[in-house]
Every structure is written in C-alpha cells, then in structure tokens.
Amino acid sequence: MPLEMNREVFITCAVTGSGGTQDRSPHVPRSPREIAESAIAAAKAGAAIVHCHVREPDTGKPSRKLEYYREVTDRIRDADVDVVLNLTAGMGGDLVLGGPEQPLPSVGGTDMAGASERMEHVRQCLPEICTLDCGTMNFAEADYVMVNTPGMLHAMGTMMEALGVKPEIEAFDTGHLWYAKELVRIGVLKEPALVQLCMGVPWGGPDDLNTFMAMVNNVPKNWHFSAFALGRHQMPFVAAAVLAGGNVRVGLEDNLWLGKGQLATNAQLVERAASIIENLGARVIGPEEVRAKLGLVKRAPVVA
C-alpha cells in the first residue's frame, strides 16, 4: 500500500445537519438566514463546498420545507463569495418503530416520503450536488432506522442524473459502496462518481483506520472521494483522508468542538482543516477548480 496522498484537496463544510444538536451549541444555525450566513462564512474560510440541511427556525428540529431550502439557496447564490452548493436529499427516509414488542405501527418522528417528494427541493433549487445515502441502516437510537431501499435509490439516482445534479454517494459502510458500484454498472449513476465516506456513525462503519482503509480500497480508482468522522476524530480524519488520497469534510453537522471546552463555528472548523491540509504539504482548492474536477455546472434556481 504505497502512500498516495492527495495534493489538491477540497473542503466540504456540513453546516448544520438534522441531528438534535441545536440546543448543545449556540453556533448551530437554525433559520434559513442563519444557515446561509454560516455557509457563507465557511466559504470565506476556505470551504469549496457547503452541504446544507434546513431546520425549523423556532425549534431547530429538522425540516423538509421547500421555502427554507429556497431561501438558503438564494442567499448563498447572492453572496459575495463563490461556493459549490450541496443540498441533502436524505430527509424523508426516517422510520421510528414502536419498540421491540410492538414495532408497528410506527410512532412519532417517522417521516417517510416518496422519491419525487424527497427530490422536489433539488429540482427547484438546482444545486451542483445533492446527497444519495446509499443504504438502509440502524442509527444510534434504539428504534430508529434510516430507510433507503434499492428501489428508492434507483429512482432518486435516476432523477439526480436527469436534473444534471451530481449525486454525492453517502457511504456509511462497505455494503453501501457495493450498491453504489451496482448503480454505476447498470447505468443509473455516471462515472466518475463522487463518494463521501461517513466514519464513526453508529451503527455504520467505525472510525478506526482498518475500516477506513477497507472503505477507501473499495472506492474505484477513477472515482472522487471525501471522508469525515464524528466528534473528536473530525480533525484526525482530515489528515487521514488526505494521506489516503481523498478530500475532507468538517462542520457542525459532525462535530461541535474546536478543542476541549471550546465550541466551534463552521468557519473555525474549516480554518483548522485548511491549516492541517496545508501543513501536510497539500493545497486547498476553490469552487471553480472543484467544478472543473467533478464536472459540475452552477445554475440559477428554477423561477417560481
């Protein structure tokens, strides 16, 4: 295994996510304005890509409202800094079961939507990238399942390619990469594909280096990949991803802390990642270079 370090690295900032972190840090953005402003600050700090979910402004709970996605998109597109926009398409696959003795019917927190509904904000906002969570898996909660069936992924992947939006394959374990390669083989997704290796998310692939390299070694050589880990391993995985030949993701979706007792902003996390990358002898590349590398096209949203 020769060292094949990536010398030209792009940073993705995952701005807010959908987890219950909104009351754990004042820096987790809630409203569309706050999310956009945090994304813009991350771009100015060196992020070439911003990955955005939306939340209910009052409670911070995850949302799929089209008007929130549109406001975030418009504010970012109108900003005085360029950045590649990556919108989640992972919402709408949340299944919360009733417990071990009576799993059905499902209970509060369940949000199951069809492929077209899950993709409507992507159709309207036309980001360069949107995510495709490439498998069903258990998360940390006892009775919660993230549901992404092969049929759902086939349908959503087909829609993404038809819209000209680049799918970012979210791979939480090796089986997700297996199915992603099948989607390419049957012509649903185009090569070279873009993969995000999601490490340390319970109960997907753990964030140890053996598992990480198993994931890396299952990514086809002509594909592009990025990687992240949660919490205190976020910055070590910046270095690991670059050394393994990939790109990096940081942000408040995955980690709230800059150091012990010090809550981070998205911009601070991006700045720390950029420092690590540059100290390794690599160069942080910007949005125009990323568009050229990944074959992306920046477009205006659909006129309402």
Side-chain angles (χ1 to χ4, degrees):
M1 288 176 57
L3 181 65
E4 297 182 355
M5 174 179 160
N6 184 12
R7 299 284 176 178
E8 295 189 337
V9 181
F10 63 76
I11 300 172
T12 297
C13 181
V15 175
T16 191
S18 61
T21 57
Q22 66 272 16
D23 296 322
R24 294 168 54 197
S25 170
H27 303 304
V28 175
R30 300 186 181 199
S31 70
R33 178 184 59 79
E34 290 170 346
I35 292 166
E37 288 177 351
S38 194
I40 292 163
K44 290 180 177 179
I49 303 173
V50 288
H51 169 58
C52 298
H53 292 242
V54 294
R55 295 175 179 261
E56 291 296 334
D58 294 337
T59 64
K61 291 183 177 180
S63 176
R64 291 193 291 109
K65 288 184 179 177
L66 295 175
E67 59 265 35
Y68 295 168
Y69 281 112
R70 186 58 182 260
E71 182 178 347
V72 167
T73 298
D74 288 343
R75 287 180 178 275
I76 290 173
R77 292 300 195 213
D78 291 341
D80 60 352
V81 63
D82 186 26
V83 70
V84 173
L85 181 60
N86 175 347
L87 294 181
T88 183
M91 306 299 292
D94 301 310
L95 176 62
V96 184
L97 300 172
E101 298 298 334
Q102 192 174 356
L104 294 176
S106 58
V107 299
T110 294
D111 178 30
M112 298 292 291
S116 295
E117 185 177 348
R118 289 178 67 169
M119 285 291 297
E120 181 59 20
H121 67 291
V122 176
R123 187 192 70 79
Q124 291 192 25
C125 295
L126 293 176
E128 290 101 325
I129 301 171
C130 70
T131 57
L132 186 67
D133 295 336
C134 226
T136 294
M137 66 175 280
N138 297 324
F139 264 59
E141 295 89 346
D143 300 305
Y144 169 72
V145 181
M146 178 183 74
V147 180
N148 294 288
T149 64
M152 178 66 76
L153 294 170
H154 188 290
M156 291 178 66
T158 300
M159 293 175 188
M160 291 172 191
E161 294 287 7
L163 287 169
V165 176
K166 182 81 170 179
E168 182 188 67
I169 296 161
E170 304 284 290
F172 295 81
D173 216 333
T174 52
H176 297 179
L177 287 171
W178 186 7
Y179 188 62
K181 286 185 277 190
E182 176 66 8
L183 289 175
V184 170
R185 187 190 70 81
I186 63 177
V188 172
L189 301 184
K190 298 175 183 176
E191 288 193 291
L194 171 64
V195 178
Q196 185 71 250
L197 302 179
C198 311
M199 309 305 300
V201 179
W203 301 106
D207 56 1
D208 62 83
L209 290 177
N210 282 336
T211 303
F212 177 55
M213 289 310 301
M215 298 275 278
V216 169
N217 290 332
N218 272 284
V219 177
K221 291 297 184 184
N222 63 325
W223 292 16
H224 303 281
F225 81 89
S226 181
F228 72 88
L230 301 185
R232 64 190 179 92
H233 288 161
Q234 184 173 81
M235 292 305 162
F237 260 79
V238 169
V242 174
L243 291 173
N247 302 282
V248 306
R249 167 172 141 173
V250 294
L252 295 177
E253 177 172 350
D254 309 319
N255 167 48
L256 299 178
W257 301 94
L258 191 65
K260 188 174 181 179
Q262 184 180 4
L263 290 167
T265 66
N266 278 308
Q268 288 173 326
L269 293 172
V270 171
E271 289 168 353
R272 177 70 57 85
S275 177
I276 292 170
I277 293 164
E278 290 167 352
N279 283 327
L280 286 171
R283 182 173 69 90
V284 176
I285 66 174
E288 277 302 309
E289 289 177 279
V290 170
R291 291 189 186 100
K293 182 186 289 282
L294 301 182
L296 307 178
V297 179
K298 183 178 182 179
R299 294 174 292 172
V302 172
V303 177

